[in-house]
């Protein structure tokens, strides 16, 4: 009997490890409604299922304007844009690139990303953790090519083609989160102490002052 309990315990542990990153839904849908003032939950409150309609599961995405310092623009379709995604553990983003446009090094704390190129040529990559030696994995992707960026790892996409580029990213969370590395460190509010940043990057105060003066555009 003890062996049976042990097997059940092992199954319980391993099955939770292989499940989706977001918690699994316990009903057909839980269309998000706005937070109740001062009450916060992990996810969003559910709309009355009887009032749910097709529009709750629908969103339209147009090509984005890439006329900005990065030459790229991300259009998220996360739970905040598409309330029907609540509890479903999935989201999407469209990424538009001007020639030489960059989606700068960033991470998604809650999602793995799978990206398909619809148009153009992208140089993409991610870096593994310190424990793995910070190895860089890169690839040049053309129309139809697909690449995966594992959850939490720093990654980027650069348009190396002659024209515009377009990609669609699937993300394994209703609310993946995005942390652009440079912006998070150099545009934090309130600012991170200069002593921390000069030591971390091994730069002097003048170099840090130069960096802090830049625009650090957020393309999300
Ligand atoms: Mn990404």
């Amino acid at each position: 009997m003890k062996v049976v309990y042990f097997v059940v315990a092992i199954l319980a542990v391993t099955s939770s490890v292989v499940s989706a990153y977001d918690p699994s839904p316990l009903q057909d849908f839980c269309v998000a409604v706005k937070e109740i003032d001062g009450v916060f939950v992990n996810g969003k409150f559910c709309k009355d299922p009887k009032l749910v309609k097709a529009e709750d599961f629908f969103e339209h995405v147009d090509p984005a304007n890439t006329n900005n310092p990065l030459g790229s623009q991300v259009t998220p379709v996360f739970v905040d844009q598409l309330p029907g995604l609540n509890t479903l553990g999935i989201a999407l983003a469209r990424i538009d690139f001007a020639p030489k446009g960059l989606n700068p090094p960033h991470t998604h704390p809650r999602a793995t990303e799978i990206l398909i190129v619809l148009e153009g040529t992208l140089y993409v990559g991610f870096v593994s953790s310190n424990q793995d030696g910070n190895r860089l994995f890169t690839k040049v992707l053309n129309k139809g090519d697909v690449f995966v960026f594992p959850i939490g790892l720093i990654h980027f996409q650069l348009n190396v083609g002659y024209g515009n580029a377009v990609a669609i990213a699937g993300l394994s969370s209703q609310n993946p989160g995005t942390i652009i590395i440079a912006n998070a460190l150099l545009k934090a509010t309130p600012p991170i102490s200069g002593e921390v940043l000069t030591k971390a990057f091994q730069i002097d105060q003048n170099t840090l002052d130069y960096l802090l003066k830049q625009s650090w555009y957020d393309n999300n």
Side-chain angles (χ1 to χ4, degrees), residues 139-201:
K139 196 88 180 162
V140 173
L141 305 181
N142 293 299
K143 183 174 179 172
D145 289 346
V146 174
F147 200 76
V148 172
F149 308 96
I151 184 168
L153 300 187
I154 295 174
H155 59 281
F156 57 83
Q157 297 111 17
L158 174 69
N159 182 2
V160 292
Y162 293 105
N164 294 333
V166 181
I168 300 289
L171 295 136
S172 62
S173 168
Q174 66 177 33
N175 183 26
T178 302
I179 301 169
I180 299 177
I181 306 305
N183 299 27
L185 292 172
L186 296 167
K187 214 175 72 171
T189 310
I192 298 173
S193 144
E195 202 176 343
V196 171
L197 293 176
T198 52
K199 194 144 201 164
F201 287 105

Side-chain angles (χ1 to χ4, degrees), residues 12-153:
V13 169
T14 52
S15 62
S16 70
V17 166
V18 298
S19 70
Y21 191 79
D22 287 1
S24 302
L26 300 172
Q27 63 283 303
D28 280 0
F29 41 74
C30 167
V31 173
V33 287
K34 288 263 180 326
E35 285 90 354
I36 296 169
D37 263 358
V39 182
F40 299 93
V41 296
N42 186 19
K44 308 274 189 189
F45 290 105
C46 305
K47 187 175 181 175
D48 180 346
K50 291 191 285 296
L51 303 178
V52 168
K53 44 195 192 320
E55 281 66 32
D56 292 319
F57 302 97
F58 175 81
E59 168 75 327
H60 177 82
V61 173
D62 281 318
N65 183 357
T66 55
N67 185 18
N68 63 56
L70 287 170
S72 81
Q73 189 65 48
V74 178
T75 306
V77 186
F78 299 172
V79 68
D80 284 343
Q81 291 78 33
L82 208 177
L85 285 176
N86 193 37
T87 75
L88 299 184
I90 195 168
L92 176 152
R94 174 186 167 120
I95 316 169
D96 287 275
F97 300 85
K100 300 189 193 303
L102 171 69
N103 191 16
H106 65 277
T107 81
H108 306 288
R110 291 176 290 278
T112 287
E113 172 177 335
I114 182 165
L115 180 123
I116 182 165
V117 176
L118 299 186
E119 184 185 319
T121 305
L122 295 176
Y123 168 72
V124 307
F126 68 84
V127 182
S128 68
S129 65
N130 296 25
Q131 289 70 25
D132 186 70
N134 293 139
R135 287 189 295 157
L136 174 65
F137 297 79
T138 66
K139 196 88 180 162
V140 173
L141 305 181
N142 293 299
K143 183 174 179 172
D145 289 346
V146 174
F147 200 76
V148 172
F149 308 96
I151 184 168
L153 300 187

